[in-house]
Each structure stands twice: as structure tokens, then as C-alpha cells.
Amino acid sequence: PSVLRVGRCTPPEVFSPTQVLIRVLYAGVNPVDCYLRAGTYPSRPSLPYTPGKDASGVVAAVGANVSHVRPGERVWAYGSISGTYAQYCVCESWQVHPLPKRVSDEEGGAVGTPFATAYRALFVRGRVRPGSVVFVSGASGGVGIAA
């Protein structure tokens, strides 16, 4: 925390026809965010940067080519151009998904990284197929719960 600083800035703008601006309600805090902040992740962002990969919120604006979400719609995002630890974030349209009514905003902010990591572990690396039996140890975190 000693290296993080809270600041005020103007909300980002949608610069590309494929981008979405989200008013962030909840941002997921994941280990990768901590690794980036600590400088131990293989790639390092240019400074200054806003951390955060996952978020839920409400669409504030869309680029001209975005048709799967509209302003005012609840969404979740996995990845962000501008970082999600802010009141607004900019995402490419493929990073933004409608948030089902049965999923809370809080849950939506925690979906992206844990579920993508679990999917990769089970189906890409583990090659799990229908009928497979899987033992998930350490299911106390987001990835384990997702698996």
C-alpha cells in the first residue's frame, strides 16, 4: 500500500469504435495485481498505471462498432486497457460481457481472473473431458471455488 497513491483524474474516453467505457461498481483483487505492484510479474506496466483486471459495473459509453452491450447495461469485464481500480475503466468490447440478473454486482467483479484460471487449469492444461473425475485441493480461494 505504501507505493499506491489515490488521485483524481478525468474519466477516460472511448477512443476506438471497439471500446467500452464502464462506470466501475466493484473491482476484483487478484494475486496477479499484487505481483504486478510488487514488480515480480514477468511483464511490467509502464508507470504510472492503474491496477486491476476484473470489474463489474454499468456501461457509460460504447464505441460505434459495439453492439452487444449498451449504455446503462450491467456488465462484467475480464481485462481492461486502463485498469479497473478506478471509478471508470476502458475495455475492448471482447473483454466486456452482460451480467446476468441472477448474478450480483459484487459477484460480477470477481468472475474474470479466477474463472478463466480455473478453466485453463481444468480444460487446457488438465485436458478434463466429460466423465473425468477431478480432485480440487486448496479450494478456499477464487480459482478453487471456480473449479
Side-chain angles (χ1 to χ4, degrees), residues 14-19 62-66 93:
V14 173
F15 290 106
S16 159
T18 60
Q19 291 178 347
V62 296
N65 294 346
V66 178
S93 60

Side-chain angles (χ1 to χ4, degrees), residues 65-144:
N65 294 346
V66 178
S67 59
H68 73 290
V69 294
R70 294 183 300 277
E73 187 173 357
R74 293 173 62 237
V75 294
W76 65 277
Y78 173 43
S80 170
I81 297 167
S82 62
T84 60
Y85 291 9
Q87 290 179 310
Y88 289 88
C89 70
V90 175
C91 303
E92 286 295 336
S93 60
W94 60 267
Q95 297 172 310
V96 180
H97 313 279
L99 190 61
K101 289 180 183 179
R102 69 181 180 275
V103 179
S104 71
D105 294 323
E106 295 92 335
E107 292 166 328
V111 168
T113 298
F115 279 74
T117 303
Y119 180 90
R120 184 173 191 276
L122 291 169
F123 300 107
V124 177
R125 302 285 294 170
R127 297 192 175 115
V128 171
R129 300 290 178 248
S132 298
V133 176
V134 177
F135 172 71
V136 179
S137 64
S140 61
V143 176

